[in-house]
Amino acid sequence: MIVVRIFKDNAGIGNLTSAVTFEACKMRLRLYFSNLEKLKERIIAGEIISIPYVTLQKDRRKRDIPVEKNRREVALIGLN
């Protein structure tokens, strides 16, 4: 499941938004919640979860956005 992370202003990186898998967030979520399966169900249901520094919500994009170039490929091209 894809989760959208929105970092809050007090996180120091200010309003950075990223889409990651739920598994990538588990380590941080274990600090605040004991039952991650119930939390996952709440996110799937559309609830917005707010923890210090981060807000989590379900990915609501209707279609995947294709990535044209990988950052690593661009970096390698720039070195040549």
Side-chain angles (χ1 to χ4, degrees):
M1 173 178 77
I2 301 293
V3 176
V4 176
R5 287 190 305 200
I6 304 168
F7 289 91
K8 299 177 182 177
D9 288 333
N10 61 358
I13 51 179
N15 291 333
L16 177 71
T17 303
S18 64
V20 296
T21 62
F22 182 77
E23 286 73 27
C25 300
K26 278 186 176 181
M27 185 187 243
R28 174 176 282 171
L29 291 173
R30 281 191 186 120
L31 298 173
Y32 302 103
F33 300 97
S34 60
N35 191 344
L36 293 182
E37 289 304 316
K38 280 190 178 181
L39 180 68
K40 187 174 183 178
E41 291 173 5
R42 289 172 50 193
I43 292 174
I44 290 172
E47 189 173 336
I48 297 173
I49 307 297
S50 183
I51 60 175
Y53 305 112
V54 179
T55 301
L56 301 169
Q57 65 185 20
K58 181 175 132 182
D59 184 23
R60 293 190 169 101
R61 294 179 291 182
K62 300 219 182 235
R63 60 181 174 81
D64 288 332
I65 299 170
V67 177
E68 294 177 10
K69 291 187 179 179
N70 188 346
R71 283 185 283 163
R72 186 172 291 174
E73 291 173 4
V74 172
L76 292 175
I77 292 170
L79 293 175
N80 292 334

